[in-house]
């Protein structure tokens, strides 16, 4: 099926069927926006930026130097400004261009991911970064956006009246498993995120239940196979570990013993939990101080900038910033931030419900889902609902690559909100009709009613 044909391809999200993009690629650049960028998505994004500036300053105690207390904040603000420029540029770019770039960007990000896994710099015990001229590039963060873009293109091109074509399902599963297999080397959570996002996009595409069960079975079998291969004979002997601990640094120890050792120790620590009588060590330090930070926050918090645990909590400005937010703003602030992320995906759903075409529907929902899924994973880890794993809080945690990539996702959502065609019978149109009918009814003369009343009298 040609992606550019004006063909009704299926019914999704309720209401009316979606159509393939009727505009040929060569005319995409000439299309004028149909409306302004969605103010709700833009407003939520700007609120995230304000929160990020406040909380990064509060959580960067371990990075502050006596002669420059604003240094960490300035560096973070630069990336936020670059993110704003990306959002501004992409919301002015028709989303059709992203459709054409989906496969090139996907192949490029996959190459960067493989390179980082084989030759990348070792950061926090994981070999997943590329150092270029003093800057650190995190390919796993780039992959999150490019895979969403790929899935939107694949699913948008393989819609049928009854759901998703088998070819599209197979292609999506292969793409997710290929990326997931490479991510597994250094990022179990990232692999699970991609699988979760793909399942969510399948559901958005109204996949048949039988096919969904097949996909779940394949995902589970492949994940189980990876676990068996990776953890087979992976546990070092106590003697080997003791010798290495005395002769090499902690970074070299993690690299020599493999990430599987880290995964297993984190799972054991999560299963054990944290007790007040536990002695603080390298394995429970993050969980311990994160728990203390949340306990100090109480209901309304200590106030922005008054965090006590940020000076002791490792990676408080990135992997555990949600605990600092709760310490500063309490349970109320933590719940409001969670609500803000949920409002983002809800607003994306409202827009997607109105759209006529499949690709922009998948694109805006995929971008919203990856942002919110990652936020939920970060929050779940911080509050103790999951084992320790490095996942930044979108737009708020410190991390240049994550901020720029998630800004690209917001820019894509705003592009869809500006350029995508709405269904004629959308909620917005029906609302206008109801309002017009109500206005006409109010303008009708009341003499007929008066005359009838006088006759009856």
């Amino acid at each position: 099926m040609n992606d550019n044909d004006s063909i009704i391809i299926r019914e999704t999200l309720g209401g009316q069927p979606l159509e393939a993009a009727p505009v040929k690629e060569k005319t995409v650049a000439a299309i004028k926006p149909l409306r302004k960028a969605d103010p709700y998505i833009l407003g939520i994004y700007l609120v995230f930026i304000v929160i990020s500036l406040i909380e990064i300053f509060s959580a960067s105690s371990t990075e502050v130097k006596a002669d420059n207390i604003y240094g960490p904040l300035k560096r973070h603000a630069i990336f936020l400004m670059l993110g704003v420029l990306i959002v501004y540029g992409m919301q002015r770019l028709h989303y059709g261009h992203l459709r054409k770039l989906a496969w090139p960007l996907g192949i490029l990000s996959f190459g960067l991911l493989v390179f980082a896994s084989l030759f990348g710099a070792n950061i926090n015990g994981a070999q997943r970064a590329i150092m270029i001229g003093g800057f650190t590039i995190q390919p796993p963060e780039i992959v999150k956006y490019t895979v969403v873009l790929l899935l939107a293109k694949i699913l948008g091109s393989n819609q049928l009246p009854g759901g998703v074509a088998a070819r599209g399902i197979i292609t999506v599963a292969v793409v997710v498993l290929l990326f997931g297999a490479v991510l597994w080397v250094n990022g179990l959570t990232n692999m699970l995120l991609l699988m979760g996002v793909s399942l969510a996009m399948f559901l958005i595409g109204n996949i048949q239940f039988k096919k969904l069960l097949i996909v779940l079975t394949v995902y589970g079998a492949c994940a189980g196979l990876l676990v068996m291969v990776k953890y087979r004979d992976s546990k070092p002997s106590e003697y080997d570990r003791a010798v290495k601990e005395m002769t090499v640094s902690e970074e070299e120890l993690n690299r020599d013993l493999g990430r599987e050792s880290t995964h297993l120790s984190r799972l054991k620590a999560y299963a054990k939990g944290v007790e007040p009588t536990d002695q603080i060590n390298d394995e429970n330090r993050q969980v311990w101080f994160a728990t203390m930070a949340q306990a100090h926050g109480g209901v309304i918090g200590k106030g922005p900038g008054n965090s006590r645990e940020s000076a002791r909590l490792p990676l408080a400005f990135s992997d555990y910033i949600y605990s600092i937010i709760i310490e500063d703003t309490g349970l109320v602030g933590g719940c409001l931030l969670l609500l803000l992320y949920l409002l983002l995906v809800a607003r994306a759903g409202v827009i997607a419900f109105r759209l006529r075409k499949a690709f922009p529907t998948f694109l805006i929902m995929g971008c919203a889902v990856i942002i919110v899924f990652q936020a939920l994973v970060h929050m779940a880890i911080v509050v103790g609902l999951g084992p320790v794993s490095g996942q930044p809080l979108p737009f708020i945690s410190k991390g240049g690559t994550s901020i720029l990539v998630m800004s690209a996702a917001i820019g894509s959502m705003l592009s869809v909100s500006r350029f995508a065609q709405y269904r004629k019978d959308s909620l917005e149109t029906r609302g206008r009709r109801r309002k017009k009918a109500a206005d006409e009814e109010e303008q009708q003369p009341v003499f007929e009613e008066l005359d009838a009343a006088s006759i009856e009298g």
Side-chain angles (χ1 to χ4, degrees), residues 169-211:
I169 295 174
I170 294 172
T171 307
V172 167
V174 170
V175 168
V176 171
L177 290 174
L178 280 176
F179 278 94
V182 181
L183 284 171
W184 171 263
V185 178
N186 288 313
L188 172 61
T189 312
N190 288 328
M191 183 192 74
L192 296 177
L193 269 176
L194 288 188
M195 288 184 174
V197 170
S198 67
L199 292 175
M201 294 181 73
F202 277 140
L203 293 175
I204 293 168
N206 195 28
I207 184 176
Q208 300 88 329
F209 182 71
K210 182 186 297 185
K211 293 180 179 179

Side-chain angles (χ1 to χ4, degrees), residues 38-50 340 414:
D38 186 74
Y40 299 99
I41 295 177
L42 184 59
I44 292 173
Y45 169 68
L46 295 177
V47 172
F48 283 145
I49 290 179
V50 173
L340 206 59
L414 292 176

Side-chain angles (χ1 to χ4, degrees), residues 13-28:
L13 295 179
Q16 299 293 326
L18 297 175
E19 300 178 7
V23 182
K24 294 185 178 180
E25 292 180 353
K26 63 181 180 180
T27 62
V28 166

